[in-house]
Amino acid sequence: MFDCGKLFHNYPILESLTAAVKSAFFLTGTAMRASQFFIATLKEAPSDAEVISHKLMMRAGLIRRLAGGIYTWTPLGLRVLRKVENIVREEMNRAGALELLMPAVQPFELWEESGRGPKYGPELLRFKDRHQRDFVIGPTHEEVITDFVRKEVRSYRQLPRHFYQIQTKFRDEIRPRFGVMRGREFLMKDGYSFHVNYADLEREYQNMYQTYGRIFSRLGLSFRAVAADTGAIGGTGSHEFHVIAATGEDAIAYCPDSAYAANVELAEALAPAAPRGAAVEPMEKKETPGKIKCEDVAEFLGTALTRTVKAIAVIRTELAEDAPGRFVLLLLRGDHDLNEIKAQKVIGEFRFARDEEVEAALGCRPGYIGPVGRNNIFVVADRTAAAMDNFVCGANEAGYHLTGVNWGRDLLEPAQTADIRNVVEGDPSPDGQGQLALCRGIEVGHIFQLRTQYAKALNCKFLDEQGKEQVMEMGCYGIGVSRIVGAAIEQGHDERGIIFPATIAPFQVAIVPMGYAKSEAVREAADTLLAELLAAGIDAILDDRDERAGSMFADWELVGVPHRIVVGERGLKEGKLEYKGRGDAEAQMLAREDILAFIQQRLCAQASI
Amino acid sequence: MFDCGKLFHNYPILESLTAAVKSAFFLTGTAMRASQFFIATLKEAPSDAEVISHKLMMRAGLIRRLAGGIYTWTPLGLRVLRKVENIVREEMNRAGALELLMPAVQPFELWEESGRGPKYGPELLRFKDRHQRDFVIGPTHEEVITDFVRKEVRSYRQLPRHFYQIQTKFRDEIRPRFGVMRGREFLMKDGYSFHVNYADLEREYQNMYQTYGRIFSRLGLSFRAVAADTGAIGGTGSHEFHVIAATGEDAIAYCPDSAYAANVELAEALAPAAPRGAAVEPMEKKETPGKIKCEDVAEFLGTALTRTVKAIAVIRTELAEDAPGRFVLLLLRGDHDLNEIKAQKVIGEFRFARDEEVEAALGCRPGYIGPVGRNNIFVVADRTAAAMDNFVCGANEAGYHLTGVNWGRDLLEPAQTADIRNVVEGDPSPDGQGQLALCRGIEVGHIFQLRTQYAKALNCKFLDEQGKEQVMEMGCYGIGVSRIVGAAIEQGHDERGIIFPATIAPFQVAIVPMGYAKSEAVREAADTLLAELLAAGIDAILDDRDERAGSMFADWELVGVPHRIVVGERGLKEGKLEYKGRGDAEAQMLAREDILAFIQQRLCAQASI
């Protein structure tokens, strides 16, 4: 047979290396020298790159485009992706989930069985195999895992189970953009849990909530768990995890003093804590010619916008044409915005009233309408509007508004008071812990209580302790692994390039020698330092390309390596090396013998979350 | 933001763990207890499983079928797959190749550019995206990597480069079978190297030849590198790596005393070392009624089959109907088989002659034909047949053969002597190092000198030292990662199940306590042993399922775990544990305090190749 002894006699046996070196080696191979690695930075980003992360990923040479929304991860980019993937995997394992690997290609019949097939849009990539059988490239795996579990799990004794995988997915986006942030082919962690009852699903949901917190913390990202609308399922059944970034697509309301966070559209606007004040002003009719917006009325009358009330006329489309209460006035404080999803939960389906409908109901055209003197009209006041006193509103007469209006005295108390507006900065936090702030985020994770939807459709049952058949409760838990790389860059960058957290930077340390080819002292010091760092399990690269210092510095700053050590002849004469952190304003000279401990301390500080 | 300190206060910080524990943890998570893990063994394999590896993978619960040739890797199976993957990755990195990740989905236009698109059969999965653009799910990535390199590499200074990836591939096999051995979706390592000239490609090819040797050695497999036919490219340009298994699809000729190995159909049959003997027998015509096969003639005449010569009449189809030499007699020793590929290389395209064509040329019907007395017929003798003396052949007369025939004396020397037969056991090895043996193998790797085929088609060029544009030389290197798991099982199994090499077994050690729930002493000893093994970086699982001993033993034997430690009350009283290796005939009692060192030694012996 093949004689291995002969092949190996010149190689150290890998098993004899320390685990730390092995682990660095696992990612690095022999390519811890820039000349052996593949560095492909660009001066300019391609014109199709719209957002900063896409531009920087292209410029830093982390990805290259093959087709719209389809990218090759270069060796440099793949290092980042794998580090993210490994942190996700480690924490999922620690949380007790079991990794498996389901096929990317799924029979379409399972999608018919779940009922999802016909509903899914053209993002779903379908194809026929050579025997004309229907398949899909799975964007998610609820059907496949449910099919797996219904065949493997019979008894309550085999539950709970949580299976996950980390897999390349395909979603045929109509307009792929933002690089890896909304690509067509992407890497995803998707997990699915199975339970005997809802209480156990909730336990695992909390477990995942905490696990996701650990994952994003270890990734070194600033993030928020955001309550997401779960429609019919109930308020606590879904959270999105957002990386905070000014460029994020989603607006988030959060409380800086607590863990509360929600999509702006879902955050609850509480009633003001202070009770309604006394009716001290008389109600007066004021001429407000041409002033139909609250801002203009307030300015014209010399009062605060927060003292005005706007009335929005809507038609409840679920009611018959002549039903009482079909025409509704929604009242909001002048500076607040209507939240249509919330309003719909209160009054059902509605549309905005047409001008002629407003005139027919109130005898006045829009712009000057209000609730006073129209006791037959169904009024829904926002909680804040309902708590106002001595306010300004339309007089139901073109060119006029009323001031000093007070509930109870000048008009009936509102027929209904409800939360029908978007929250604003400074609103009280719904958890009672402080005031809300607003920020923008990029969704990178989602946990969801599926309950019995798929288990019912696919007949995924178990025998309970009494031997009775029961449908399983299910949860699902996703993380956009490739998306995280883009989100980390949206969060961390400056004019020189990417600022990666040390845990996911392609390399932790760049050693940049000045005159590697020319100076033996420099070469020896740099080589020794590299060996020392690698032996300590630090993921370092030595830039032996011998280019201009400025060009090498620019590359490592663009790529986002957090620590840089310059090895130069002058410093070496004094036994010193130059250190600069990616975020530091200035470089500093450090004694050669201190450098390893210094780097270890810095890495430790960054990792100890 | 999210307060992580609060989440973490009950958790050990992962970074503080030793690297060895972390590495075990990485694969295991908290699931190093069988009750938390997913063990799903079956008594019977499904009826569609034809080969032993497929049967055992199903029975051991390593895979589950989703559709024809499409499998889910269970947590247990995925551990094996990942271990194989990691060994491949480590050795590719060590060899200086750089891992990247190309998209699975490729634009079809690249396949048109390379010219491979139209030629590829229905195994190639093609589809149109929602914008009606043509794509394929790439079975290999020559086009994509060549496109990548032609855009990124301009100068000889940037060469050589070797990029590889480990990726899920899809190939729409018409008849998927043998489980993961010929699946439709499978995991593959594919690497591609780029060079300034052929000499440098040859250097990298040798590097990969040795790297593949290290990979399969570390995987603990008995294997052979086999020279493969490369058609026009040349003899040294392609090797297949085969795992040796009696059930293998391919027949391999190899030399036990050297590294020589080749597909049986390609192995060269040398001329016998001994010279032709003297013409001692007279030529005699013997009656051989009804004996048309050499075996029958030899038996009838009471001589050895190896003293007979068979003549096979063929027609060279490339020559005109009346061209001289169109009718050819191929001569082989009676026990040898014609190798049509070799013969074709000698005489060009041919077909077997029809009976009437034989009669017209030789005046005799097939079965009794021979070269004697037919000097006008073109004769090609196999090297062995040409070296025979005093042999038996057809007399060109129905019912008669000639004995004591000698070249030169009784007929002209053959017009041409060439290697036109398959090798047999005992033939001299072409490298002169001994005799050939035959075995069967499963192809798990392939290295190939592509030369300039793709680089030319896709215009992948570089500027040489003189600033002149040159086409790159390319190599490609594949390993069937999922196939290796099947091949390892074909090689290693017995009636009780799988015998995995320790390097790729799902767990290295199974701890089986007798009465885990009942006996506190057993429980404590088992828990302590587990912690001890894990802390030493050994990949152990504790079977806390508390089932019947026989059933637990059967599971771990079926699954192929190489080391088993039984913790029982009786042994503990004497400070002993029972150890049994998967391949051992008998269990042995070991002192509790010696067990770790014992296991380490055994694992070390298995890994030190």
Side-chain angles (χ1 to χ4, degrees), chain B residues 57-133:
Chain B
M57 287 185 78
M58 292 297 299
R59 284 195 52 213
L62 304 182
I63 53 170
R64 285 296 182 253
R65 182 184 184 276
L66 176 62
I70 300 178
Y71 297 91
T72 292
W73 290 79
T74 68
L76 195 71
L78 186 60
R79 291 175 69 88
V80 180
L81 191 68
R82 289 273 187 256
K83 287 183 178 185
V84 174
E85 180 183 332
N86 285 343
I87 287 175
V88 171
R89 176 177 289 117
E90 284 178 2
E91 292 300 333
M92 288 303 291
N93 288 349
R94 163 145 74 162
L98 295 173
E99 187 178 4
L100 47 52
L101 183 60
M102 291 179 271
V105 171
Q106 313 175 3
F108 186 70
E109 58 200 38
L110 276 180
W111 285 65
E112 283 173 325
E113 205 178 334
S114 75
R116 197 155 62 134
K119 277 183 240 161
Y120 221 92
E123 286 87 29
L124 182 65
L125 174 57
R126 289 180 59 171
F127 69 93
K128 283 182 190 296
D129 76 356
R130 60 193 293 170
H131 302 297
Q132 297 306 305
R133 280 186 294 247

Side-chain angles (χ1 to χ4, degrees), chain B residues 509-568:
Chain B
V509 177
I511 303 170
V512 187
M514 300 289 97
Y516 186 76
K518 271 179 286 180
S519 161
E520 201 180 323
V522 165
R523 191 161 60 250
E524 206 192 297
D527 286 348
T528 309
L529 181 60
L530 176 66
E532 211 174 296
L533 292 175
L534 291 174
I538 294 169
D539 195 16
I541 186 162
L542 167 62
D543 197 339
D544 58 346
R545 293 177 298 172
D546 234 3
E547 297 186 3
R548 286 185 308 103
S551 145
M552 293 194 284
F553 291 172
D555 272 359
W556 299 116
E557 286 181 330
L558 174 56
V559 157
V561 171
H563 305 284
R564 184 184 81 197
I565 303 171
V566 178
V567 182

Side-chain angles (χ1 to χ4, degrees), chain A residues 279-356:
Chain A
V280 292
E281 294 176 27
M283 182 168 80
E284 291 182 65
K285 186 164 135 189
K286 299 268 173 73
E287 202 172 352
T288 51
K291 309 298 176 196
I292 58 170
K293 282 191 184 163
C294 284
E295 287 81 355
D296 300 334
V297 173
E299 196 191 346
F300 183 77
L301 296 175
T303 187
L305 178 59
T306 54
R307 303 217 55 80
T308 65
V309 164
K310 65 180 156 197
I312 298 166
V314 300
I315 304 292
R316 294 161 77 185
T317 50
E318 289 170 0
L319 299 190
E321 285 280 344
D322 53 357
R326 186 166 188 266
F327 182 93
V328 180
L329 273 188
L330 304 175
L331 299 187
L332 297 145
R333 199 170 77 183
D335 59 328
H336 285 162
D337 287 328
L338 175 68
N339 181 311
E340 296 182 32
I341 298 165
K342 290 179 176 178
Q344 193 183 309
K345 283 187 187 158
V346 177
I347 59 168
E349 295 275 346
F350 69 89
R351 65 168 168 80
F352 294 103
R354 288 186 284 269
D355 285 5
E356 60 274 21

Side-chain angles (χ1 to χ4, degrees), chain B residues 44-354:
Chain B
E44 299 288 336
S47 58
D48 71 326
E50 298 171 57
V51 295
I52 189 72
S53 61
H54 188 188
K55 286 178 188 166
L56 286 176
M57 287 185 78
M58 292 297 299
R59 284 195 52 213
L62 304 182
I63 53 170
R64 285 296 182 253
R65 182 184 184 276
L66 176 62
I70 300 178
Y71 297 91
T72 292
W73 290 79
T74 68
L76 195 71
L78 186 60
R79 291 175 69 88
V80 180
L81 191 68
R82 289 273 187 256
K83 287 183 178 185
V84 174
E85 180 183 332
N86 285 343
I87 287 175
V88 171
R89 176 177 289 117
E90 284 178 2
E91 292 300 333
M92 288 303 291
N93 288 349
R94 163 145 74 162
L98 295 173
E99 187 178 4
L100 47 52
L101 183 60
M102 291 179 271
V105 171
Q106 313 175 3
F108 186 70
E109 58 200 38
L110 276 180
W111 285 65
E112 283 173 325
E113 205 178 334
S114 75
R116 197 155 62 134
K119 277 183 240 161
Y120 221 92
E123 286 87 29
L124 182 65
L125 174 57
R126 289 180 59 171
F127 69 93
K128 283 182 190 296
D129 76 356
R130 60 193 293 170
H131 302 297
Q132 297 306 305
R133 280 186 294 247
D134 283 309
F135 285 89
V136 304
I137 307 283
T140 60
H141 278 68
E142 283 84 356
E143 286 82 359
V144 177
I145 194 70
T146 307
D147 177 62
F148 178 82
V149 169
R150 72 178 167 184
K151 288 170 178 162
E152 299 293 328
V153 174
R154 299 253 170 277
S155 156
Y156 72 96
R157 282 192 204 87
Q158 294 166 279
L159 292 172
R161 289 285 169 194
H162 185 155
F163 297 108
Y164 77 97
Q165 61 178 355
I166 298 177
Q167 190 188 43
T168 298
K169 310 271 188 198
F170 191 86
R171 189 175 50 196
D172 201 355
E173 287 274 359
I174 190 159
R175 202 186 149 205
R177 57 201 291 215
F178 306 153
V180 300
M181 299 261 282
R182 199 184 293 164
R184 291 202 283 178
E185 191 174 322
F186 54 94
L187 194 65
M188 173 116 187
K189 188 281 292 179
D190 50 326
Y192 308 89
S193 69
F194 295 82
H195 309 272
V196 293
N197 55 36
Y198 181 52
D200 196 58
L201 166 58
E202 283 206 290
R203 177 202 52 72
E204 182 64 10
Y205 188 83
Q206 284 309 315
N207 181 26
M208 279 301 113
Y209 183 92
Q210 300 220 335
T211 299
Y212 274 42
R214 279 197 299 278
I215 289 171
F216 295 113
S217 297
R218 280 192 62 200
L219 289 170
L221 298 173
S222 169
F223 70 98
R224 285 232 151 235
V226 173
D229 191 2
T230 57
I233 289 172
T236 62
S238 172
H239 282 87
E240 295 169 357
F241 286 76
H242 286 258
V243 166
I244 306 305
T247 52
E249 284 187 295
D250 296 295
I252 298 165
Y254 69 99
C255 174
D257 303 319
S258 74
Y260 179 84
N263 191 302
V264 158
E265 318 231 298
L266 299 172
E268 187 181 0
L270 298 183
R276 201 189 277 168
V280 292
E281 296 176 25
M283 183 168 81
E284 292 182 63
K285 188 164 132 188
K286 297 265 173 76
E287 202 170 353
T288 51
K291 310 298 174 194
I292 57 172
K293 283 188 183 166
C294 284
E295 289 80 356
D296 301 333
V297 174
E299 196 192 345
F300 183 77
L301 296 175
T303 187
L305 179 58
T306 53
R307 303 218 55 82
T308 65
V309 165
K310 65 180 154 196
I312 299 168
V314 301
I315 304 292
R316 294 161 77 185
T317 51
E318 289 167 1
L319 299 189
E321 285 278 345
D322 51 356
R326 188 167 187 264
F327 181 92
V328 180
L329 272 189
L330 304 175
L331 299 187
L332 296 145
R333 200 171 76 184
D335 59 328
H336 285 161
D337 286 328
L338 176 68
N339 181 310
E340 296 183 33
I341 298 165
K342 289 179 177 178
Q344 194 182 308
K345 283 185 186 157
V346 176
I347 59 167
E349 295 275 349
F350 69 87
R351 63 168 169 79
F352 293 102
R354 289 186 283 270

Side-chain angles (χ1 to χ4, degrees), chain A residues 325-577:
Chain A
R326 186 166 188 266
F327 182 93
V328 180
L329 273 188
L330 304 175
L331 299 187
L332 297 145
R333 199 170 77 183
D335 59 328
H336 285 162
D337 287 328
L338 175 68
N339 181 311
E340 296 182 32
I341 298 165
K342 290 179 176 178
Q344 193 183 309
K345 283 187 187 158
V346 177
I347 59 168
E349 295 275 346
F350 69 89
R351 65 168 168 80
F352 294 103
R354 288 186 284 269
D355 285 5
E356 60 274 21
E357 288 169 326
V358 174
E359 291 216 54
L362 302 172
C364 172
R365 65 186 169 93
Y368 302 98
I369 63 174
V372 179
R374 295 294 186 275
N375 290 347
N376 58 328
I377 297 294
F378 182 37
V379 166
V380 178
D382 178 67
R383 286 164 173 172
T384 306
M388 289 167 71
D389 52 67
N390 307 290
F391 57 81
V392 176
C393 66
N396 283 326
E397 185 178 340
Y400 290 90
H401 277 80
L402 301 172
T403 64
V405 182
N406 280 280
W407 295 105
R409 184 190 75 183
D410 307 321
L411 74 170
L412 296 176
E413 291 288 344
Q416 193 164 357
T417 298
D419 172 20
I420 57 169
R421 68 168 173 95
N422 289 332
V423 294
V424 294
E425 191 103 27
D427 273 342
S429 175
D431 66 354
Q433 302 287 305
Q435 292 185 329
L436 290 180
L438 298 183
C439 67
R440 301 197 72 81
I442 299 161
E443 188 192 337
V444 288
H446 196 173
I447 59 178
F448 196 90
Q449 296 183 356
L450 285 172
R451 305 293 313 264
T452 57
Q453 184 191 338
Y454 288 91
K456 251 185 207 152
L458 279 95
N459 206 30
C460 182
K461 293 180 177 169
F462 68 99
L463 295 176
D464 68 13
E465 288 188 60
Q466 283 74 45
K468 221 184 102 193
E469 241 185 14
Q470 303 265 18
V471 175
M472 294 185 204
E473 290 272 354
M474 280 176 68
C476 71
Y477 317 92
I479 288 184
V481 177
S482 31
R483 193 163 221 245
I484 284 173
V485 180
I489 296 171
E490 292 289 333
Q491 185 171 89
H493 64 267
D494 61 14
E495 69 292 349
R496 286 171 295 158
I498 300 167
I499 305 178
F500 270 124
T503 45
I504 63 171
F507 294 95
Q508 292 174 310
V509 178
I511 302 169
V512 187
M514 301 286 96
Y516 186 77
K518 267 180 288 181
S519 161
E520 199 180 323
V522 166
R523 190 163 59 251
E524 204 192 299
D527 286 348
T528 308
L529 181 61
L530 175 66
E532 210 174 298
L533 293 174
L534 291 174
I538 295 168
D539 195 14
I541 186 164
L542 167 62
D543 196 339
D544 59 347
R545 292 177 298 170
D546 235 1
E547 297 187 2
R548 285 184 309 102
S551 144
M552 291 193 285
F553 290 172
D555 271 359
W556 299 115
E557 286 181 330
L558 173 57
V559 158
V561 171
H563 305 285
R564 185 186 80 198
I565 303 171
V566 178
V567 182
E569 270 196 325
R570 211 183 311 170
L572 283 178
K573 276 181 192 146
E574 298 167 22
K576 289 190 169 171
L577 300 172

Side-chain angles (χ1 to χ4, degrees), chain A residues 38-53:
Chain A
F38 183 73
I39 311 285
T41 54
L42 301 174
K43 290 267 174 260
E44 300 286 338
S47 57
D48 71 325
E50 297 171 57
V51 296
I52 189 72
S53 60

